[in-house]
Each structure stands twice: as C-alpha cells, then as structure tokens.
C-alpha cells in the first residue's frame, strides 16, 4: 500500500450500523437472507435462512457489505 491508500483507510470512520429497507441493522442483529434472483448459487442456497450479522464493512467507494454467521 502506498501512503495515499493508508490515508484513505485512516479517514474512514467505522460503520456501526446501516439501514436496510428502513430497518436499522448492526452487528448482532438477526436477519433473514433474501438474495436477488440473479445472485450467485451459494447465496441462493441461503435464501430465507436466519443469520446473525457479524460485521458491517465499507469499501473505498463507500459501498457497505455485511458478513453473517449461523446462530
């Protein structure tokens, strides 16, 4: 990583929660997975399963993503 990339990482504040369809979600929240129809096969196999949010992460472009775990 160059110095510019380190500054980008340091400038980002951690994402504590986000809103999905108007509902607040944070680590520890229980969610039902509803992947899009055009999703990858592994994602489609998890359809309608209950999971717990493990973390919320944000990429350089500001796009949020979540990591889930089975409870």
């Amino acid at each position: 990583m160059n110095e510019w990339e380190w500054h980008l990482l340091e400038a980002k504040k951690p994402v504590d929660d986000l809103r999905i369809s108007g509902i607040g979600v944070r680590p520890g929240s229980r969610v039902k997975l509803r992947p899009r129809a055009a999703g990858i096969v592994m994602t489609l196999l998890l359809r309608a399963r209950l999971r717990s949010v493990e973390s919320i992460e944000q990429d350089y472009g500001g796009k949020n993503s979540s990591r889930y775990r089975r409870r």
Side-chain angles (χ1 to χ4, degrees), residues 47-63:
R47 180 179 303 181
R49 303 257 176 131
L50 290 176
R51 294 291 185 254
S52 166
V53 176
E54 187 172 283
S55 66
I56 300 172
E57 300 164 358
Q58 190 176 63
D59 66 10
Y60 285 123
K63 183 177 176 183

Side-chain angles (χ1 to χ4, degrees), residues 11-54:
K12 293 247 183 238
K13 66 175 194 155
V15 180
D16 295 326
D17 62 350
L18 61 102
R19 300 197 73 70
I20 300 174
S21 299
I23 299 171
V25 177
R26 62 179 352 148
S29 296
R30 303 241 331 156
V31 295
K32 183 182 278 190
L33 301 179
R34 295 183 185 155
R36 295 184 193 114
I40 61 174
V41 174
M42 187 60 184
T43 305
L44 294 174
L45 292 174
L46 298 174
R47 180 179 303 181
R49 303 257 176 131
L50 290 176
R51 294 291 185 254
S52 166
V53 176
E54 187 172 283

